[in-house]
């Protein structure tokens, strides 16, 4: 029994030793595995392209990879990582990182936290860099096997180049927009598939819109273009999409107040990598000031042309005026001087009476011509004065002034006035117009007719006076009608005159903004139609 007991005990010991040896080997394998895993994990951490730093729950740094050292500018190999505490560091507190650590220590993960570090600050011990750096941080908890926070890890990505590139791009965009604002030049694009528009700030400004609002749709944009210009623009767009042509066109944009301003639109096709047209892009340039300047220049040129035409007319009329004056003034004077000479040669009362009558006729002719010259001069220089006119009273006065003219008493005169509104115009010029027209009707009456007639019809409204002067006098031949308003033209050779009368009438009517039409038949009579605007005062109260 003793041997059996010893053998069993020995076998048990051997089994225990084998089990212990097996456990030892397993522990060794586990340790080796853990060591291998640790080496593998450290290798990953050390070779990360971003910075890695591990903190314990108290905030002390316990691990930092090489990339983190580079990012923080730590070149000293003897730097004591464990001496840094993320909760106590003043910079970490001021930059808002310390609160993030506390959140991660409570089990929260914080991503995409951007941080700016100025390595030029003198009191900063990371003094190897002398410029600002920008970092993107991810701070997260590290859990143990019991899912309790055992540490806090921080991943640090250097985003300085990206940040500076973004800033440079924004600055470039701002500079471009400032340049566009200065040059009133805006850029735009349209996606062919979605028909979505993209506008720069200046395009919004050209439409009088707020750049912070949403870009209008293509249909809304169409409504902002002047209807007369949209067809031209849409044809250009279609040609660009079909043939790939560039276009440049001047169109009008509607502003919020309903007015329109001019812009020059330039467009070109946009292609994809396959060479297909996928949209249109271009620029808008505000040319409203240019258009206004062109309009002013055109207006000035038109005015200059008008002034030149008037100057030519004045020069031509002046030449004719001087010639006519030298003839029409000197002829009566020469006749009077001749008659005076004849008077000196006779004492016969009958002859003297005849000579005096002829002198009187010459002087009256001279007086009439001088009055016409005065009328012409006053019309050219006098301002237009608007006063109320009672046509019935006015016309009766005109006829009364001409009662002394030869054959006036034998003419039947009729006045018909329908005046439904007060009428305002220049009374002096009206007198010149009607004195000439009525005196012509009397002087050129037909003495061979049983009854000579002059009829004046007036219809005066708030807008204008429609006047007809009709006579059954000698009339004017058709071949002469187109010249009757020319200076010094005499339409009827049966009476002597200066040829200024109807010319002065036309000039006076032009000053009043009126018009005249004359129709006549030789031997039948003449009809004159006048249209004279009613210049009622703006504040006139009915």
């Amino acid at each position: 029994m003793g041997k059996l007991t010893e053998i069993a005990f020995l076998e048990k010991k051997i089994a225990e030793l084998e089990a212990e040896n097996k456990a030892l080997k397993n522990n060794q394998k586990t340790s080796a595995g853990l060591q291998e895993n640790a080496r593998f994990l450290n290798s990953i951490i050390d070779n990360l392209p971003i910075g890695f730093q591990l903190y314990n729950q108290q905030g002390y740094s316990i691990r930092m990879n090489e990339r983190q050292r580079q990012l923080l500018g730590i070149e000293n190999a003897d730097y004591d990582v464990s001496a840094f505490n993320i909760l106590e560091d003043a910079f970490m507190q001021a930059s808002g990182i310390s609160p993030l650590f506390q959140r991660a220590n409570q089990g929260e993960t914080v991503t995409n936290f951007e941080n700016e570090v100025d390595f030029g600050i003198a009191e900063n011990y990371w003094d190897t860099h002398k410029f600002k750096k920008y970092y993107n941080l991810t701070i997260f908890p590290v859990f143990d096997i019991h899912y309790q926070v055992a540490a806090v890890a921080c991943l640090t990505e250097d985003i300085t180049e990206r940040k500076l590139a973004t800033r440079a791009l924004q600055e470039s965009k701002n500079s471009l927009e400032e340049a566009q604002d200065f040059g009133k030049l805006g850029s735009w694009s349209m996606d062919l598939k979605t028909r979505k528009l993209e506008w720069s700030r200046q395009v919004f400004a050209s439409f009088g819109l707020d750049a912070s609002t949403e870009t209008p749709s293509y249909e809304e944009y169409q409504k902002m273009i002047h209807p007369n210009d949209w067809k031209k623009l849409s044809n250009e767009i279609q040609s660009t999409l079909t043939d790939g042509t560039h276009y440049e066109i001047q169109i009008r944009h509607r502003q919020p107040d309903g007015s329109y301003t001019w812009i020059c639109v330039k467009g070109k096709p946009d292609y994809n990598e396959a060479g297909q047209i996928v949209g249109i892009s271009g620029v808008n340039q505000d040319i409203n000031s240019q258009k206004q300047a062109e309009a002013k220049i055109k207006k000035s040129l038109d005015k200059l042309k008008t002034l030149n035409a008037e100057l030519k007319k004045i020069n031509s009329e002046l030449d004719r005026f001087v010639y006519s004056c030298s003839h029409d003034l000197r002829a009566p004077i020469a006749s009077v001087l001749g008659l005076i000479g004849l008077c000196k040669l006779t004492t016969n009362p009958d002859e003297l009476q005849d000579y005096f009558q002829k002198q009187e006729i010459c002087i009256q002719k001279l007086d009439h011509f001088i009055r016409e010259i005065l009328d012409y001069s006053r019309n050219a220089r006098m301002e237009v004065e608007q006063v109320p006119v009672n046509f019935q009273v006015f016309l009766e006065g005109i006829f009364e002034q001409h009662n002394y003219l030869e054959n006036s008493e034998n003419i039947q005169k009729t006045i018909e006035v329908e005046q439904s509104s007060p009428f305002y115009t220049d009374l002096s010029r009206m007198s010149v117009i009607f004195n000439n027209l009525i005196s012509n009707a009397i002087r050129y009456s037909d003495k061979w007719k049983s009854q000579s007639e002059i009829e004046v019809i007036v219809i005066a409204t708030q807008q204008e006076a429609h006047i007809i002067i009709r006579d059954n006098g000698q009339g004017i031949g058709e071949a002469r009608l187109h010249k009757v308003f020319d200076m010094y033209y005499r339409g009827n050779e049966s009476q002597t005159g200066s040829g200024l009368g109807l010319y002065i009438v036309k000039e006076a009517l032009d000053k009043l903004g009126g018009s005249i039409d004359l129709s006549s038949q030789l031997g039948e009579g003449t009809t004159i139609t006048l249209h004279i605007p009613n210049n009622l005062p703006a504040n006139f109260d009915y």
Side-chain angles (χ1 to χ4, degrees):
M1 291 294 293
K3 288 185 177 180
L4 290 174
T5 302
E6 290 177 359
I7 291 172
F9 177 78
L10 182 60
E11 288 178 348
K12 180 180 179 183
K13 287 293 183 180
I14 291 172
E16 289 177 353
L17 287 172
E18 287 178 348
E20 289 176 359
N21 185 45
K22 186 177 180 181
L24 179 61
K25 287 182 178 179
N26 287 337
N27 287 337
Q28 288 176 344
K29 287 181 179 180
T30 300
S31 177
L34 290 173
Q35 290 177 359
E36 183 63 27
N37 287 340
R39 283 195 299 273
F40 181 70
L41 181 60
N42 285 329
S43 176
I44 292 176
I45 292 173
D46 289 337
N47 289 283
L48 283 173
I50 60 176
F52 174 84
Q53 194 161 0
L54 192 65
Y55 301 89
N56 64 20
Q57 288 183 291
Q58 288 72 43
Y60 285 99
S61 176
I62 57 178
R63 179 76 165 86
M64 178 189 296
N65 71 355
E66 185 61 29
R67 180 56 179 159
Q68 184 75 349
R69 284 176 174 269
Q70 293 173 0
L71 292 177
L72 300 179
I74 301 173
E75 297 180 350
N76 187 353
D78 298 329
Y79 174 76
D80 185 5
V81 174
S82 62
F84 176 76
N85 189 301
I86 195 172
L87 295 174
E88 297 175 355
D89 185 78
F91 176 79
M92 293 295 176
Q93 292 173 349
S95 62
I97 298 177
S98 295
L100 298 182
F101 174 87
Q102 293 173 334
R103 289 166 58 185
N105 213 8
Q106 298 297 320
E108 182 183 350
T109 297
V110 180
T111 61
N112 295 323
F113 178 79
E114 291 189 5
N115 185 38
E116 178 186 300
V117 179
D118 190 344
F119 289 98
I121 300 176
E123 59 268 23
N124 195 321
Y125 48 78
W126 300 320
D127 58 357
T128 56
H129 292 204
K130 301 297 182 184
F131 50 85
K132 287 183 179 180
K133 301 283 283 185
Y134 298 90
Y135 302 109
N136 184 285
L137 305 181
T138 299
I139 302 177
F140 58 94
V142 178
F143 299 97
D144 60 17
I145 60 174
H146 303 293
Y147 295 100
Q148 299 295 315
V149 177
V152 173
C154 177
L155 299 178
T156 306
E157 180 186 5
D158 187 346
I159 59 170
T160 302
E161 290 187 6
R162 186 173 71 198
K163 194 77 174 179
L164 293 178
T166 301
R167 180 180 294 175
L169 181 62
Q170 185 60 45
E171 290 176 352
S172 176
K173 182 181 178 183
N174 291 341
S175 297
L176 176 60
E177 288 188 340
E178 288 177 1
Q180 289 182 348
D181 291 345
F182 182 78
K184 294 187 176 181
L185 188 72
S187 56
W188 55 269
S189 63
M190 183 186 74
D191 184 273
L192 180 58
K193 185 177 181 181
T194 63
R195 299 181 80 181
K196 183 179 180 181
L197 296 171
E198 293 290 340
W199 286 0
S200 71
R201 184 173 66 193
Q202 180 55 35
V203 177
F204 280 91
S206 68
F207 280 97
L209 301 176
D210 186 352
S212 63
T213 59
E214 185 177 354
T215 303
S217 66
Y218 185 77
E219 289 72 23
E220 290 171 332
Y221 170 70
Q222 178 180 346
K223 295 176 182 178
M224 296 178 183
I225 307 302
H226 194 286
N228 294 341
D229 297 337
W230 174 250
K231 186 176 181 180
K232 295 185 291 183
L233 178 60
S234 59
N235 288 339
E236 295 288 351
I237 293 173
Q238 188 59 45
S239 296
T240 298
L241 295 176
T242 304
D243 306 324
T245 57
H246 293 210
Y247 67 84
E248 179 176 341
I249 185 173
Q250 295 181 358
I251 60 176
R252 286 162 287 183
H253 276 183
R254 181 170 53 82
Q255 300 298 301
D257 62 1
S259 64
Y260 284 90
T261 58
W262 283 94
I263 63 165
C264 177
V265 182
K266 298 180 182 180
K268 66 175 184 61
D270 292 333
Y271 298 90
N272 61 13
E273 294 180 354
Q276 299 170 322
I277 297 177
V278 294
I280 301 178
S281 61
V283 293
N284 288 4
Q285 184 171 18
D286 187 336
I287 58 170
N288 202 55
S289 297
Q290 175 185 331
K291 281 288 185 179
Q292 290 178 342
E294 289 176 356
K296 288 181 179 178
I297 292 173
K298 184 179 183 302
K299 186 176 180 180
S300 297
L301 289 175
D302 290 343
K303 186 176 181 180
L304 184 60
K305 288 179 181 178
T306 302
L307 291 174
N308 283 337
E310 289 180 358
L311 184 60
K312 289 181 179 179
K313 176 185 174 185
I314 291 171
N315 286 336
S316 175
E317 291 174 352
L318 182 60
D319 290 342
R320 295 168 65 187
F321 183 77
V322 171
Y323 172 79
S324 179
C325 283
S326 64
H327 177 270
D328 291 346
L329 286 175
R330 291 186 73 253
I333 294 174
S335 297
V336 170
L337 291 174
L339 290 169
I340 292 173
L342 292 175
C343 287
K344 291 178 179 180
L345 297 176
T346 183
T347 57
N348 186 316
D350 293 333
E351 289 182 353
L352 288 173
Q353 184 64 29
D354 181 51
Y355 294 154
F356 290 149
Q357 288 178 351
K358 290 179 179 179
Q359 289 180 51
E360 183 180 6
I361 292 172
C362 290
I363 292 172
Q364 286 177 350
K365 181 179 178 182
L366 181 60
D367 179 64
H368 178 74
F369 184 68
I370 291 173
R371 281 190 282 108
E372 285 189 328
I373 293 174
L374 289 174
D375 288 342
Y376 172 72
S377 176
R378 287 170 184 158
N379 182 66
R381 288 196 296 246
M382 285 171 52
E383 295 293 330
V384 177
E385 296 183 0
Q386 311 295 351
V387 296
V389 175
N390 183 316
F391 276 102
Q392 185 69 41
V393 175
F394 172 75
L395 290 172
E396 288 175 357
I398 293 293
F399 276 115
E400 186 176 346
Q401 292 176 32
H402 293 83
N403 283 336
Y404 69 91
L405 288 182
E406 183 182 357
N407 200 43
S408 177
E409 68 278 6
N410 299 321
I411 299 174
Q412 180 179 320
K413 307 175 184 72
T414 305
I415 299 174
E416 294 182 15
V417 175
E418 183 182 325
Q419 187 167 352
S420 61
S421 167
F423 191 88
Y424 279 72
T425 190
D426 189 307
L427 189 58
S428 296
R429 288 182 170 86
M430 285 283 285
S431 297
V432 169
I433 293 168
F434 279 88
N435 275 324
N436 276 283
L437 296 178
I438 298 303
S439 66
N440 280 352
I442 294 172
R443 286 162 56 201
Y444 296 109
S445 61
D446 192 344
K447 299 176 183 179
W448 298 101
K449 288 181 178 163
S450 59
Q451 180 63 65
S452 294
E453 299 175 355
I454 299 175
E455 180 184 20
V456 181
I457 302 172
V458 178
I459 301 175
T461 66
Q462 292 182 23
Q463 289 74 38
E464 68 169 11
H466 178 73
I467 304 165
I468 298 173
I469 302 174
R470 185 184 297 118
D471 67 61
N472 63 344
Q474 300 173 29
I476 304 170
E478 185 177 353
R480 300 185 177 214
L481 282 177
H482 67 286
K483 294 183 179 181
V484 293
F485 296 109
D486 291 349
M487 179 182 273
Y488 300 122
Y489 182 78
R490 295 181 177 89
N492 192 313
E493 298 297 337
S494 67
Q495 294 280 347
T496 60
S498 66
L500 279 174
L502 289 180
Y503 174 82
I504 294 173
V505 167
K506 180 68 168 59
E507 292 290 302
L509 277 168
D510 287 344
K511 289 287 185 179
L512 298 180
S515 63
I516 183 170
D517 180 68
L518 185 148
S519 61
S520 184
Q521 284 187 321
L522 192 61
E524 297 293 331
T526 301
T527 299
I528 295 174
T529 304
L530 305 175
H531 290 276
I532 303 174
N534 189 351
N535 289 307
L536 283 167
N539 58 351
F540 185 82
D541 186 6
Y542 285 95

